[in-house]
Amino acid sequence: MDPELLRQKIAFQKHAATTVAVQNKPSAAASSHTTYSSEAAKAKKKKASGPTQNLSKLPDFDNFASNSNAISNATNFSTMAKIVDYMKKRHLSQQQWPLTLKEVLDELQLYDLGKRNIAFLQEALPNNPRLMMEPNPDGDPTMNKFAFRPPYKIKGKTSLVAVARKHYQDGKGGILVSDLAECVANYDALLQQVAADVIVVPTQVNKKKDRVVFYNDKDFTFPELEDDFKALWRNVSVDHLDEKKIEEYLQKKGLDAMKDLTPKVRMQAPLKRKAAKRRHNQKVQNDHMEGVLEDYE
């Protein structure tokens, strides 16, 4: 080989060994005519995997069903309370004729109740102790009529005195004024009219202040107490004690509370059948057949 070419070759190799050359790789977009985009593919893949990742955020259908049932029950009982309260107001305002369920809902302007709510009311209202039902003669439950059931059949002073006397005779005690307020509207004026026939005593029921109406038995006369006994009675405060604590205190002092004061109804026991008397071995004398019987021995 030509010596000059060998020298050029050696010089080129030395120069190439000392010089670092960086070659840029051509981009795929510049060297290719395809429509594929890696960024678009990544975005599409992320969008497709989105619903599967959010499955845990979907609503719990079991809790939704239980919540809807709770809301429906609350609606049912609140509607029933509205109906009872409305029927009570009608009774106190002397509008005592019965109404069907549809008529009551129309007067209350309750038009947004569903079929399930109405079916519940048709089944529950006949069993409500504060309402009385007048069944439909055709047997259609939707046409049953309802009216308010007052605690007592009291309409005026005569019936009030009669009920108080019946309670007194049966040993049932008195009539609560809160119950009387559900029978008549003007109960305070009514109590003033019968003040000579009843005795009104303040009391407390379920931690609420109330009054009790007792029958005033005029045949029972009690002698006038001396002022000293009245002063002793009024100086003893028992407002902070209930009946159980008072009974325990009296028992500690050697006094026993009276119980079973109500008159007892005597039940007639079934009549016992008399047992037949057994005849002992004894001779029967036929004295009245003397002279008629013959002896064939």
Side-chain angles (χ1 to χ4, degrees):
M1 182 179 288
D2 189 355
E4 186 65 24
L5 293 175
L6 291 173
R7 283 196 301 271
Q8 292 178 1
K9 179 181 179 183
I10 293 170
F12 176 77
Q13 289 177 348
K14 290 180 179 180
H15 179 73
T18 57
T19 303
V20 179
V22 178
Q23 184 178 5
N24 294 329
K25 186 177 180 181
S27 62
S31 62
S32 177
H33 298 285
T34 181
T35 58
Y36 175 78
S37 176
S38 61
E39 297 295 334
K42 290 180 180 179
K44 187 175 181 181
K45 185 176 180 181
K46 185 176 181 181
K47 185 177 181 181
S49 61
T52 58
Q53 295 176 354
N54 295 331
L55 287 177
S56 60
K57 298 181 180 180
L58 292 176
D60 191 350
F61 290 100
D62 294 336
N63 292 335
F64 178 77
S66 61
N67 293 335
S68 62
N69 290 333
I71 294 173
S72 179
N73 291 335
T75 303
N76 292 335
F77 288 107
S78 64
T79 305
M80 184 183 297
K82 291 180 181 178
I83 292 175
V84 173
D85 187 59
Y86 177 69
M87 300 302 285
K88 173 186 172 182
K89 291 180 180 178
R90 291 183 71 254
H91 177 81
L92 295 177
S93 60
Q94 301 301 320
Q95 301 178 13
Q96 300 177 1
W97 57 88
L99 298 175
T100 61
L101 176 59
K102 185 178 182 304
E103 293 172 343
V104 175
L105 296 179
D106 290 341
E107 293 190 8
L108 288 174
Q109 298 181 358
L110 297 175
Y111 305 114
D112 56 346
L113 294 179
K115 294 183 179 180
R116 291 186 177 180
N117 303 116
I118 295 177
F120 171 81
L121 294 174
Q122 289 177 351
E123 183 179 355
L125 287 179
N127 300 324
N128 194 305
R130 303 192 67 187
L131 297 177
M132 50 186 176
M133 186 186 71
E134 182 179 314
N136 183 23
D138 297 334
D140 187 3
T142 60
M143 299 304 294
N144 292 336
K145 294 186 177 182
F146 301 93
F148 181 72
R149 185 196 302 273
Y152 305 103
K153 295 181 179 180
I154 298 176
K155 296 182 179 181
K157 58 181 182 180
T158 304
S159 55
L160 173 58
V161 175
V163 173
R165 185 189 300 112
K166 189 72 168 58
H167 272 58
Y168 171 74
Q169 293 174 351
D170 296 343
K172 295 181 180 179
I175 303 170
L176 290 175
V177 175
S178 57
D179 292 338
L180 181 62
E182 296 185 356
C183 301
V184 291
N186 54 344
Y187 60 92
D188 283 328
L190 187 61
L191 290 175
Q192 292 178 1
Q193 294 176 7
V194 297
D197 298 321
V198 298
I199 300 174
V200 181
V201 179
T203 185
Q204 189 174 4
V205 179
N206 295 330
K207 297 182 180 180
K208 294 182 180 180
K209 292 183 178 180
D210 205 342
R211 292 177 292 169
V212 188
V213 180
F214 294 97
Y215 175 70
N216 186 13
D217 189 0
K218 297 179 182 179
D219 297 334
F220 180 76
T221 57
F222 192 77
E224 185 68 20
L225 288 176
E226 298 179 2
D227 294 336
D228 296 338
F229 288 102
K230 292 181 180 180
L232 289 173
W233 175 265
R234 291 168 182 170
N235 289 334
V236 178
S237 177
V238 293
D239 295 338
H240 61 286
L241 301 176
D242 55 9
E243 294 184 358
K244 187 175 181 180
K245 292 183 178 179
I246 294 175
E247 183 178 351
E248 292 176 354
Y249 176 80
L250 293 176
Q251 289 178 353
K252 289 180 181 179
K253 298 299 181 180
L255 300 175
D256 195 7
M258 299 177 67
K259 298 178 181 179
D260 299 334
L261 297 178
T262 57
K264 296 181 180 180
V265 179
R266 294 184 178 180
M267 301 295 293
Q268 293 183 354
L271 298 176
K272 294 183 178 180
R273 188 174 180 180
K274 294 182 179 180
K277 295 182 179 180
R278 298 182 61 183
R279 293 185 178 181
H280 301 284
N281 295 330
Q282 60 182 1
K283 294 183 179 181
V284 179
Q285 306 294 335
N286 295 326
D287 295 337
H288 63 286
M289 301 294 292
E290 186 177 358
V292 178
L293 298 178
E294 295 183 1
D295 190 0
Y296 293 99
E297 291 183 358

